[in-house]
Structures are given as C-alpha cells and as structure tokens.
Amino acid sequence: LNSASSRSFTVGFNVSQSYTCGGTVLNQATVSTSSTDPNSSNDSSSIVATAVQCPLPIADMTVIKSGSPSIQPGGVLLYTVTAINLGTEIANNVVVSDVVPAGLTFNASQSDPSCVINGNGTSVLCNNLTLNSGNSRTFGIAFNVPSTAACGSVINNTATVSTSSNDPNPANNTSQTVSTTVNCPVPVADLSVTKTTAQTSVARGGLLSYTLTASNAGPGVANNVVITDVIPAGLAFNSAASSSGCVLNGNSTSVLCN
C-alpha cells in the first residue's frame, strides 16, 4: 500500500446451527507489514460484537368447517371442524372455538368428547391439543335446533382456531361461514272415503240414498277435498235429496261433493 492508501476486504463466516441462542460473536482483526511500523498500537481493530438470535418457532394454524345445507325444526345440526397446522414448527395449546348459533343449544352427547361448552355458555371449545407441523385434528360439534325454528330461516356459523405458539398468519384462523336453511316438511294428508246405504233394495222409480264420508288421518291439513261419485247406469242424480255441497259435473257422469 502506498502512503495514505487503503484496501478493503469482505470476510464471511458461517454461524453454526448449534450456536447458543442469545450468545455473542466477538471478532477482531489485526494488520502487519514487513516494512518498519513504529506505531503498533493501531495494528488491531476494535472488537465487533454480534448477537446470535434464534428465530421463534412458527406455527400456522388454519381451520375448515362444513355442515348440512338444510335442517328441519327439532333436528340436530352436526358440523365437522378440522384444525390444521400449516407451519414448520409444533403448535401448542391449540383451541378450536365455535360460537353457539342464536336459538340453538349445544348437544354434548353427539359432539366430540374433547369439545365442551365454555363457562358462560356462548361458545364450544375443543382444546388440550398439540399439533406437529403438517398434522390436523377433526372434531364433530352438534347443536340442537329448536322445534320452533322459523321455516326458511338461515343458521350461519363459523369456527376459529388459536395457539399459544407463534402464528404470524392470523388471516386463516377463521373458517368459512357455513349456512344452513331451516326447511319445514310439507304437510302430509292421508284421506280415506267410506260409502254406505241403509237400503238393501229399492223400488223402480224410488229414491236410492248413499252416505259418503271423507276422513283425514293427517297429520297435515287436507285442502280442496273433493268426493267423486260416478252415477250408476240407469240412475239420475237427485239434487234435492242430496247435500248442498254435491253437484253434477259438466258431462253429467259423476256427482262432485266439494
């Protein structure tokens, strides 16, 4: 080096994977020359201290939820909830939380034993869970739908997941919303008809009278009920001797009671 000149070098070192977390790397350089250097006090650099930091374990929890698209009043609505660790490290103290939908009650007997109602009865917690990287755990969570649930109403529900481990991606900690429509069964009617007469014989030119009885065994209401009585050959309908609700049909082949 000429007088007043300088030269810079870059020197790199690999830090061992087993180096103590929180430790300090101390490093100092020295310079020498074959020429005469009467000032050796500045031949050593200052000590450079570098702290060794270990990255926090990273878990990335996500949760998926599915359920029936429809339910009848008085039924049991079962959801399937899956917690997944997408991270590179273990996830400790994982908790899946499911808010109880309005008007519904938790059904413990049809849910996973690990899932319990919280202290104030507002959420179901599935906890005491540890998940290694890439592992998952599925829970069944059931709710009772009241028999008074409004027909056509929609039950919306989501689940969330949390962990005490470092999870830098909270955006995927909530499931998609599962929507379930309350469908009421169509009323079912069960109609039957009986026909009787007290007359075992009738004289020519006489009046033959029948009693027709329509019954509904249900359970639903039967609307627009019609009894049809085909006119026997050789007979004519007698409206005066018949109930007011019974009339001759358009082609005069049958009597309709409606």
Side-chain angles (χ1 to χ4, degrees):
L1 288 176
N2 292 324
S3 175
S5 296
S6 64
R7 172 76 184 275
S8 296
F9 300 90
T10 298
V11 181
F13 298 97
N14 295 320
V15 181
S16 170
Q17 291 282 354
S18 59
Y19 205 101
T20 303
C21 295
T24 302
V25 178
L26 301 176
N27 189 249
Q28 185 180 40
T30 61
V31 66
S32 63
T33 176
S34 61
S35 300
T36 302
D37 183 355
N39 182 17
S40 61
S41 61
N42 63 351
D43 290 353
S44 296
S45 72
S46 58
I47 297 175
V48 177
T50 304
V52 177
Q53 296 181 343
C54 296
L56 292 174
I58 294 176
D60 183 10
M61 293 303 306
T62 189
V63 61
I64 299 172
K65 184 170 192 177
S66 61
S68 174
S70 63
I71 190 74
Q72 290 189 3
V76 176
L77 181 53
L78 179 63
Y79 294 105
T80 300
V81 181
T82 302
I84 308 169
N85 181 9
L86 302 176
T88 57
E89 299 291 340
I90 193 170
N92 295 304
N93 302 313
V94 175
V95 178
V96 172
S97 179
D98 192 342
V99 175
V100 180
L104 275 61
T105 56
F106 176 54
N107 186 322
S109 64
Q110 295 194 43
S111 299
D112 191 286
S114 300
C115 301
V116 296
I117 197 78
N118 67 350
N120 57 15
T122 59
S123 295
V124 175
L125 304 178
C126 308
N127 47 27
N128 299 322
L129 180 63
T130 297
L131 284 177
N132 291 323
S133 173
N135 285 7
S136 64
R137 171 71 187 277
T138 299
F139 302 92
I141 302 177
F143 296 101
N144 299 313
V145 179
S147 58
T148 55
C151 301
S153 60
V154 178
I155 302 167
N156 293 316
N157 191 250
T158 58
T160 60
V161 66
S162 62
T163 176
S164 63
S165 301
N166 181 36
D167 185 350
N169 182 23
N172 62 353
N173 292 166
T174 301
S175 74
Q176 73 279 23
T177 299
V178 177
S179 298
T180 302
T181 302
V182 178
N183 289 336
C184 295
V186 177
V188 176
D190 182 10
L191 289 176
S192 62
V193 62
T194 59
K195 185 173 186 177
T196 60
T197 182
Q199 299 170 254
T200 57
S201 62
V202 64
R204 279 204 238 179
L207 176 66
L208 179 56
S209 179
Y210 295 101
T211 298
L212 307 178
T213 302
S215 301
N216 179 16
V221 174
N223 297 305
N224 303 314
V225 176
V226 178
I227 297 176
T228 302
D229 192 350
V230 177
I231 300 174
L235 276 62
F237 175 53
N238 187 325
S239 61
S242 301
S243 297
S244 59
C246 297
V247 295
L248 196 62
N249 72 347
N251 56 15
S252 301
T253 59
S254 298
V255 176
L256 308 178
C257 301
N258 50 24

